[in-house]
Amino acid sequence: MGRALAILALIAAAGCARSPLVQAPAPPARDELVVLLPGPDGSTGALSVTHEGHQQTLDAPYAAARVARQGQLEDAGRLAPEQIRRSFEQALAAQPLRPATFLLYFLENSDEFTPESKLEIPKIFAEIAAHPSPQIVVVGHTDRVGTVPYNDALSLRRAERVQAQLVQLGIPAAQIQAAGRGERAPLVPTEDEVAEPRNRRVEITVR
Amino acid sequence: MRQGWTIVLALAVLGVAAVEAADEVGRVKIVRGSVTVQRAGAEVAATVGMPLQQGDVIVTGRDGSAGVTFNDDSLLSVGPDSVLAIDHFVFDSTTHAGRFETSLRRGTLSAVSGKLAKQSPDAMKVRTPSIILGVRGTEFVVRAGPVVP
């Protein structure tokens, strides 16, 4: 009997909670903001901002879009750089050091770097010293002589050779990774099967 | 017999460590104040040099901020009171194809896109509770509520 009453009371309470007299809590107020920034060289990319089927493109420095209390996507115009630096101060200050890239060339038919490339080595060491928990990525490239799979393998071999040389120079092996891009990313675009020494290179990124 | 099990256990531990290294999608480079990483239901303090994996969630406290460099050279950093989830990260270092999706559930984010966004305009997305950003490049900041008084 007592239990039946308790169940009835529970049902009644549940009924009250559902009654229109009790107001549902307001949906949480939103304040979402997106701002496109110029890069260090002043160039600006683009962002597409999508919200409930509406889309807006940001493609100018400091262009901004916002979803505020009303819950709709608004064009926020262009914000003042000082305001953004203030609002995002700590996130911007925690940005890791930008990766730096060095290009190394070999003497013809040799494992030895060109004299110019040898001068790059101390700069690479200085860059490594500047990065917390440094990672070095060695990426090999070829020209377009040969097939794509052949050049993928060749570029990886080139990268691994430089990786071994860097280890001999004193960089811990665990910090270095090798990758090959084959003929996909030529410095100097050419037709297929054209020999181009400037494309036979190795890029070292320190991040 | 006991020794046998010890070897099996040691191999298992080594195996897990190797898999984790291979699964690294990015690395913590800057930690200030209170920063934790949630992974598979556990929560550990973030440290400089910590490898991050797909699925990790970075959480900063009131005094916290953190910066991460991803394998495609993207840089993401969060300010105080922020929650950032690494939903997907796949990067092919030969073709530069892949997918990079993160969610800023709360707080502030600063981003510099890397090789994935450069290779394909559809590869990198950042979500907030109500917005989806398609990243064509390169630098931007995002804030996700609650309302600032």
Side-chain angles (χ1 to χ4, degrees):
Chain A
M1 183 63 186
R3 181 179 288 182
L5 272 178
I7 288 168
L8 275 176
L10 272 177
I11 290 167
C16 276
R18 254 188 252 118
S19 95
L21 288 176
V22 179
Q23 281 200 328
R30 294 237 174 277
D31 182 19
E32 299 180 10
L33 176 70
V34 182
V35 191
L36 187 64
L37 303 180
D41 60 352
S43 71
T44 304
L47 289 171
S48 72
V49 187
T50 309
H51 170 72
E52 289 175 1
H54 297 277
Q55 193 173 24
Q56 189 182 329
T57 301
L58 304 178
D59 57 7
Y62 303 105
R66 162 177 275 146
V67 173
R69 261 171 221 283
Q70 293 77 14
Q72 281 159 359
L73 185 62
E74 303 162 19
D75 185 342
R78 287 169 75 162
L79 301 185
E82 313 80 62
Q83 187 191 337
I84 294 160
R85 271 198 290 278
R86 232 182 6 254
S87 301
F88 292 90
E89 189 182 4
Q90 281 138 304
L92 288 167
Q95 199 172 80
L97 201 58
R98 282 161 202 266
T101 298
F102 302 86
L103 270 184
L104 296 181
Y105 292 91
F106 296 99
L107 291 172
E108 190 97 36
N109 299 320
S110 161
D111 270 2
E112 204 182 333
F113 295 127
T114 62
E116 296 77 25
S117 290
K118 278 185 183 159
L119 293 177
E120 291 288 287
I121 308 280
K123 294 186 204 165
I124 295 173
F125 274 85
E127 189 68 35
I128 291 170
H131 287 256
S133 186
Q135 296 162 282
I136 298 108
V137 184
V138 183
V139 181
H141 297 270
T142 66
D143 61 21
R144 298 191 64 191
V145 176
T147 64
V148 166
Y150 172 82
N151 282 327
D152 282 354
L154 175 63
S155 62
L156 182 59
R157 275 206 306 278
R158 251 173 214 165
E160 284 169 346
R161 210 163 64 207
V162 172
Q163 178 181 27
Q165 283 168 308
L166 292 176
V167 171
Q168 279 184 346
L169 288 170
I171 299 171
Q175 291 180 2
I176 315 177
Q177 285 174 294
R181 288 272 277 149
E183 58 176 66
R184 286 175 189 74
L187 267 192
V188 182
T190 68
E191 295 294 313
D192 202 8
E193 298 304 327
V194 172
E196 174 49 73
R198 285 172 292 179
N199 290 336
R200 294 176 211 139
R201 68 204 193 275
V202 163
E203 268 173 21
I204 295 184
T205 298
V206 179
R207 67 176 184 231
Chain B
M1 186 62 193
R2 178 166 291 175
Q3 199 174 7
W5 278 114
T6 308
I7 289 167
V8 168
L9 199 66
L11 284 175
V13 168
L14 282 174
V16 166
V19 167
E20 278 184 358
D23 285 348
E24 175 172 351
V25 301
R27 193 172 289 191
V28 177
K29 297 285 191 173
I30 294 182
V31 174
R32 293 188 183 122
S34 148
V35 182
T36 58
V37 173
Q38 297 172 350
R39 177 181 300 167
E43 191 162 355
V44 291
T47 51
V48 171
M50 180 179 186
L52 294 183
Q53 300 171 15
Q54 180 171 279
D56 284 353
V57 181
I58 303 161
V59 181
T60 57
R62 286 206 123 169
D63 62 341
S65 59
V68 178
T69 300
F70 286 85
N71 288 358
D72 77 324
D73 291 351
S74 297
L75 311 175
L76 296 191
S77 52
V78 286
D81 275 325
S82 300
V83 179
L84 179 74
I86 304 168
D87 301 317
H88 294 280
F89 185 96
V90 180
F91 174 59
D92 182 322
S93 61
T94 296
T95 63
H96 287 189
R99 179 178 177 204
F100 186 12
E101 295 181 18
T102 54
S103 301
L104 181 69
R105 295 179 189 158
R106 188 177 79 216
T108 51
L109 168 73
S110 143
V112 180
S113 65
K115 289 175 170 149
L116 281 165
K118 197 171 181 184
Q119 175 69 24
S120 160
D122 295 321
M124 184 176 179
K125 289 189 171 64
V126 176
R127 289 184 170 79
T128 67
S130 56
I131 293 174
I132 301 172
L133 296 177
V135 181
R136 313 275 186 265
T138 54
E139 306 203 13
F140 55 97
V141 286
V142 186
R143 184 177 69 212
V147 168
V148 180

